Amino acid sequence: MGTSSKRLYYLDSLKYIFCLMIFWAHLAGVFWTLCDPRPALRQELERLFTYPLSVLLDSSLALYGFCILSGYLASFKRTRAQHLLPQLLARYLRFVVPFFFINLVAFILYYTVGYPTAEASALLHNAWLATYYTHAPTIPELLRATVTLDGDLNGPLWMMKYILLGTCIIYLYNALEQKLPLRLFQFSCLAVFVYSFFHLPEPNFFHVHLVLMGLILRKLDDALKAWLTQHEKDGHPLLRFFFLLLVLLPIALDAGGLQRVLYPFFRAHCPAIAPVFIWSAYWVMLFSFSLIVGVMNCPPLQRALEWAPLKRVAPMNFAVYLVHFPLIASLSLHLYLRLVNRISYSKVFVILTVVSFAALFLTSWLYEQSIGKLQDKIVKKITARLAM
């Protein structure tokens, strides 16, 4: 029991950090990195976007890690074949209920304070921002976005349907694993996984595979822990610090090392294979996976992630993800419109960053304590009825 609890604590913290990275990437994207041309910033502020802090701007690294961890945690769900359908329905409802409430909040915000994305995008020269909240949502659209897990009212939630599908496949896998010849079943599933990864039905479908990588992570983690325990008994107490490299190396490469070091090196010495080292989503998947494996097998990092203040706020990681974009599109943009052209943009950027982060921490806590608890009660009541 202690092991699973400990694991949950540091994985919660890791998911929380991933969600903060996504918030920072979106906030910076709105007010600087995705602007063309970019507003003038003081040199010391521009360092926030250079190596190694540039890794914090990679929302893909954080999102992929979030997907992998979602699959990993779902893999612990023991599923019996006769209970599979109710559990899949319960899983769907665990997504739909939070979707409804955050969509309702976003809907109300639109018709009260509003989302000045069009005006702000014109001033910021940010075409990406202009794609959000382009028309007034209706009640039927709110309900449709909820039941289909669409991102119309809260853009970054588009990937939740892939997490849902991936975790449902894991539930199905766990149910069938108990009924079919183990090795043949595992090999067949792995073959389907690899084949489908290179034959996606649509471009974003690989997010399902990221979730399924969480199941692979579970299998790998069990084997690694057994292997490490045996080797530590044989006199290799520092072996786990190797996994620190599995955390630091992908961070260094993702922050710019891949483009600035590896690719130029291979282009100069082995041009035939140099294209392999061009930055791509495949590399980011590997970085996210490596980072998580390293953390899961490096006790010093786990203890750092179990730092008491971090452990206290970490369970709010999902609330952070739910509220962060409506907050940027309303509060942050309204504040920007009040400040722009009145003071230097560097001062505007600092004020926006400080206020937005403070509002995120407060809003996510309030959301978790109010709507979060309400939606949890609703889901528990519904799932309890399904289990009868």
Side-chain angles (χ1 to χ4, degrees):
M1 188 69 161
T3 303
S4 60
S5 296
K6 180 179 180 182
R7 175 177 295 171
L8 179 62
Y9 287 141
Y10 72 77
L11 290 186
D12 271 348
S13 297
L14 190 55
K15 289 176 74 175
Y16 187 73
I17 292 170
F18 284 154
C19 289
L20 290 181
M21 286 176 60
I22 292 170
F23 173 73
W24 171 233
H26 286 158
L27 184 70
V30 167
F31 295 108
W32 204 70
T33 58
L34 295 179
C35 300
D36 186 20
R38 292 172 175 172
L41 281 180
R42 293 173 62 93
Q43 188 175 3
E44 53 268 33
L45 289 177
E46 289 193 15
R47 289 175 186 161
L48 293 171
F49 310 108
T50 58
Y51 187 89
L53 295 178
S54 52
V55 72
L56 300 176
L57 293 166
D58 189 357
S59 60
S60 294
L61 179 73
L63 177 58
Y64 295 175
F66 191 91
C67 290
I68 293 169
L69 286 177
S70 296
Y72 175 79
L73 295 173
S75 70
F76 286 90
K77 181 73 172 180
R78 295 292 93 192
T79 307
R80 295 184 178 181
Q82 61 269 32
H83 298 149
L84 179 61
L85 188 58
Q87 287 182 338
L88 293 179
L89 181 57
R91 184 66 177 170
Y92 171 70
L93 292 172
R94 286 187 179 276
F95 282 75
V96 167
V97 174
F99 251 74
F100 170 74
F101 282 108
I102 193 58
N103 280 344
L104 182 61
V105 169
F107 184 87
I108 293 172
L109 284 175
Y110 184 92
Y111 286 102
T112 53
V113 299
Y115 303 114
T117 52
E119 184 181 357
S121 66
L123 292 171
L124 288 163
H125 304 284
N126 192 324
W128 173 74
L129 179 60
T131 62
Y132 292 100
Y133 303 111
T134 56
H135 74 283
T138 63
I139 294 291
E141 287 175 332
L142 183 154
L143 297 176
R144 180 190 57 77
T146 296
V147 298
T148 61
L149 305 185
D150 196 54
D152 286 351
L153 282 160
N154 194 346
L157 295 188
W158 61 268
M159 38 69 65
M160 283 296 173
K161 56 180 174 286
Y162 299 106
I163 292 182
L164 170 63
L165 179 57
T167 53
C168 286
I169 293 173
I170 289 174
Y171 283 10
L172 176 63
Y173 174 93
N174 286 343
L176 295 178
E177 188 180 41
Q178 305 168 37
K179 300 290 185 180
L180 300 174
L182 184 60
R183 294 302 178 192
L184 178 61
F185 176 67
Q186 290 177 335
F187 177 80
S188 300
C189 289
L190 183 61
V192 171
F193 172 85
V194 173
Y195 177 83
S196 62
F197 187 81
F198 294 101
H199 298 80
L200 301 174
E202 51 98 354
N204 285 321
F205 200 83
F206 73 88
H207 290 85
V208 174
H209 293 79
L210 286 168
V211 179
L212 297 179
M213 285 173 67
L215 178 61
I216 296 174
L217 176 65
R218 167 78 188 281
K219 303 293 185 182
L220 176 63
D221 187 51
D222 290 341
L224 272 176
K225 279 181 169 46
W227 183 81
L228 283 168
T229 300
Q230 180 59 45
H231 279 71
E232 285 172 340
K233 287 180 180 178
D234 295 340
H236 302 281
L238 298 180
L239 187 60
R240 286 183 183 267
F241 285 95
F242 161 78
F243 289 94
L244 181 62
L245 294 177
L246 290 182
V247 176
L248 299 180
L249 185 59
I251 290 175
L253 292 176
D254 187 80
L258 185 68
Q259 304 98 307
R260 297 182 179 183
V261 179
L262 285 190
Y263 177 69
F265 174 84
F266 283 99
R267 185 176 59 182
H269 298 89
C270 303
I273 64 171
V276 174
F277 296 92
I278 295 175
W279 189 93
S280 68
Y282 298 107
W283 277 107
V284 182
M285 291 177 198
L286 179 61
F287 295 156
S288 294
F289 192 83
S290 173
L291 191 155
I292 294 170
V293 170
V295 169
M296 292 174 67
N297 292 280
C298 185
L301 287 178
Q302 292 172 15
R303 288 192 291 271
L305 289 170
E306 290 173 354
W307 180 47
L310 180 58
K311 188 168 69 173
R312 192 174 299 116
V313 299
M316 295 188 295
N317 59 79
F318 190 46
V320 168
Y321 194 79
L322 289 175
V323 307
H324 84 273
F325 195 73
L327 186 147
I328 293 173
S330 56
L331 173 68
S332 302
L333 289 184
H334 277 296
L335 181 58
Y336 163 74
L337 292 176
R338 287 183 175 272
L339 296 176
V340 67
N341 297 328
R342 296 188 178 185
I343 53 178
S344 72
Y345 193 76
S346 293
K347 292 179 180 178
V348 171
F349 188 83
V350 170
I351 294 171
L352 286 170
T353 300
V354 172
V355 171
S356 297
F357 267 100
L360 176 72
F361 296 137
L362 177 60
T363 304
S364 58
W365 180 82
L366 290 173
Y367 190 92
E368 186 71 20
Q369 295 302 310
S370 55
I371 296 176
K373 289 185 176 180
L374 174 62
Q375 66 193 25
D376 287 346
K377 288 181 181 179
I378 293 173
V379 169
K380 285 180 180 179
K381 286 184 179 181
I382 296 175
T383 52
R385 288 186 176 275
L386 288 172
M388 293 175 63

